[in-house]
Amino acid sequence: MRSMAIKILFPSFHINILACLIINIIVTLDLVGGGGGDGKGNDGGSNGGGGGPTFTFQSPAVPPIPQMPLPLPQAPPLPLPPPIGQKPLVFADQRLAVVYPIIQKFKTTIVSDPLGITKTWVGSDICNYRGFYCDNPPDNKTATALASVDFNGFQLAAPTLDGFLDQLPDIALFHANSNTFSGVISTNISKLPYLYELDISNNNFSGPFPTAILSMNTLSFLDIRFNLFTGSVPSQLFTQNLDALFINDNSFMQRLPDNLGNSHILFLTLADNKFTGPIPRTISKAFSSLSEVLFLNNLLTGCLPYEIGFLKDTVVFDAGNNRLTGPIPFSLGCLDKAEVLNFAGNLFYGMVPEVVCALGNLGNLSLSDNYFTQVGPICRSLIGKGVLDVRKNCVPGLPFQRPVPECVAFFARPRYCSYAATYTLIPCMHPHSSFPPSVLPSLPPSA
């Protein structure tokens, strides 16, 4: 037979439909025609009851996905212009423009502001921010700079002052009492050329004593009390030109340095720490103008030095709740300006000196919880006035004394103080003494 070639023309749409039908037929025949196999290597066609042809469908090969080049890093966006209608910030002085971003960055770190203080820290008028004060800096009397920060009682909370306090180039006073600031004090504060008052008391600062303070020659007032500082206090601190030093209510632990008197401090507060050892006899060397000294609630031992009597300007001397012992030196009768003397809660014994009770300005003499055995008539008159407290001692005939066995047990152990001969000497003219002033020769340093 002659073969005939028939040329059939289909539109492309019909060709696509025809291709799909052919594919479906092939798949159907493969399944129906025994395409399952018997699991023994025989194909489905040999057991499927028909000798029809076997069709195999293979997926068309998927062309590989072309590798796309990695995108290049984008440049940071350009800063947006100020919103329409908002003028750019204008500062009264370039020095204020410098501290503006520092303040705004610190503002973002504040996690608690119950009084809404930071709501006022808006705009370019930094001198009217609450807690910020401006003045003319020492190096340019025509300039205006941020000179003082006073956050006292603001109840602000932030994890650190780093990047704020140490970055205020013209700051002279920084007061932040009674907040919840924490962290450590940056060593960069030593670079602040004008800072002379630093008060960070009653916060949560921790770590060792901020030694950067030792290189701040302008500092005259330091208050770091009621924090969590630990370790020792550098002895160089007591040679600084400070007027006031408040380091009480921390956890400093060390022997009281022998150079305690090599300073001109007016207010010395070391209370509520863990200082040990005796009160050094050098205390009178440079502390003749000392107004207040607080040693209470430490671990001090030894006897009171005779030289305390030379603290002629002292108004308050508090060494309560330590482990001091021995008699009270008569030299304390020379503290004419003394209003408060506290030696309660120690191991003192002997007689209460009449010359001390005769001090004209004395308003509170606390000697309770010791082992005194004798009180004279002048001192007894102070008991009646509520000035002298000698409760819980060993004075016969007075109420509220220790039990006798307790007193006996105390005196059963030998007690000794170096330079015992000095304890009855009075280094000044005193109306209740019939003896001239007794001035001792130089004595060797206390052990």
Side-chain angles (χ1 to χ4, degrees):
M1 295 180 61
R2 288 185 309 167
S3 63
M4 296 180 62
I6 301 175
K7 185 176 182 182
I8 303 176
L9 299 176
F10 294 96
S12 60
F13 172 75
H14 295 95
I15 293 175
N16 292 335
I17 294 177
L18 181 62
C20 291
L21 291 174
I22 294 173
I23 291 173
N24 287 332
I25 293 172
I26 292 173
V27 173
T28 303
L29 290 175
D30 186 46
L31 295 174
V32 175
D38 61 0
K40 298 181 181 179
N42 300 318
D43 61 15
S46 61
N47 297 323
T54 301
F55 296 93
T56 303
F57 173 70
Q58 295 182 350
S59 305
V62 179
I65 299 175
Q67 296 293 326
M68 300 297 292
L70 295 176
L72 296 175
Q74 296 183 353
L78 296 174
L80 296 175
I84 298 175
Q86 178 178 332
K87 297 180 179 180
L89 294 177
V90 178
F91 297 90
D93 194 286
Q94 178 60 28
R95 297 184 186 225
L96 299 176
V98 169
V99 299
Y100 172 80
I102 298 170
I103 297 171
Q104 297 304 316
K105 181 180 178 181
F106 174 63
K107 180 179 177 180
T108 65
T109 69
I110 294 177
V111 296
S112 179
D113 180 13
L115 304 181
I117 303 298
T118 58
K119 292 179 181 179
T120 68
W121 300 358
V122 179
S124 61
D125 193 2
I126 294 174
C127 302
N128 279 326
Y129 286 8
R130 191 171 175 189
F132 293 83
Y133 302 90
C134 298
D135 205 342
N136 307 119
D139 63 338
N140 187 348
K141 294 300 182 180
T142 63
T144 302
L146 177 61
S148 174
V149 171
D150 187 355
F151 291 163
N152 283 354
F154 281 2
Q155 303 176 39
L156 300 173
T160 182
L161 290 181
D162 282 7
F164 175 59
L165 167 60
D166 54 304
Q167 297 298 315
L168 303 177
D170 299 301
I171 196 73
L173 292 88
F174 187 87
H175 291 182
N177 182 301
S178 301
N179 288 278
T180 314
F181 298 132
S182 55
V184 297
I185 302 302
S186 171
T187 57
N188 290 328
I189 64 170
S190 62
K191 300 177 183 178
L192 302 176
Y194 309 125
L195 185 63
Y196 69 90
E197 283 194 15
L198 177 60
D199 180 0
I200 55 172
S201 59
N202 198 19
N203 281 280
N204 291 330
F205 292 106
S206 59
F209 180 87
T211 55
I213 289 173
L214 301 177
S215 58
M216 300 175 66
N217 297 327
T218 58
L219 197 66
S220 62
F221 180 97
L222 176 62
D223 190 348
I224 62 172
R225 56 186 163 170
F226 293 101
N227 277 289
L228 304 172
F229 291 110
T230 57
S232 60
V233 178
S235 59
Q236 302 96 301
L237 178 65
F238 301 101
T239 63
Q240 299 293 108
N241 191 26
L242 294 170
D243 294 329
L245 175 61
F246 302 98
I247 62 174
N248 54 288
D249 291 272
N250 283 282
S251 295
F252 294 122
M253 180 184 295
Q254 70 178 84
R255 181 183 174 92
L256 216 55
D258 290 333
N259 67 337
L260 193 61
N262 297 333
S263 180
H264 300 282
I265 297 174
L266 301 178
F267 302 92
L268 176 66
T269 306
L270 309 181
D272 294 289
N273 283 285
K274 297 177 182 178
F275 287 106
T276 61
I279 297 175
R281 292 178 34 243
T282 57
I283 190 170
S284 65
K285 183 180 297 184
F287 282 179
S288 58
S289 58
L290 184 63
S291 178
E292 292 187 12
V293 55
L294 303 182
F295 290 136
L296 74 156
N297 296 332
N298 279 285
L299 303 173
L300 301 180
T301 55
C303 303
L304 289 181
Y306 156 86
E307 287 80 2
I308 290 179
F310 292 103
L311 302 178
K312 59 182 180 179
D313 290 325
T314 296
V315 177
V316 176
F317 192 102
D318 192 337
N321 295 327
N322 281 280
R323 299 173 183 175
L324 298 166
T325 190
I328 297 293
F330 284 26
S331 63
L332 269 64
C334 297
L335 304 181
D336 292 331
K337 295 182 180 180
E339 298 177 8
V340 176
L341 296 177
N342 179 23
F343 300 104
N346 281 284
L347 304 173
F348 293 113
Y349 55 86
M351 68 175 295
V352 179
E354 290 278 87
V355 291
V356 177
C357 293
L359 289 170
N361 294 312
L362 200 58
N364 188 337
L365 176 57
S366 298
L367 301 178
S368 62
D369 197 9
N370 282 285
Y371 293 87
F372 291 107
T373 56
Q374 184 178 347
V375 177
I378 298 177
C379 294
R380 287 176 183 265
S381 68
L382 294 186
I383 296 175
K385 296 176 182 178
V387 175
L388 172 61
D389 184 359
V390 289
R391 291 174 296 176
K392 204 175 180 181
N393 277 278
C394 300
V395 182
L398 290 183
F400 310 111
Q401 299 298 294
R402 293 179 182 273
V404 172
E406 194 173 322
C407 295
V408 171
F410 175 81
F411 289 106
R413 298 181 59 185
R415 307 286 167 179
Y416 173 76
C417 284
S418 301
Y419 314 114
T422 67
Y423 283 87
T424 57
L425 300 178
I426 304 174
C428 63
M429 293 297 296
H430 199 281
H432 295 277
S433 174
S434 57
F435 300 97
S438 303
V439 180
L440 291 177
S442 298
L443 297 175
S446 56

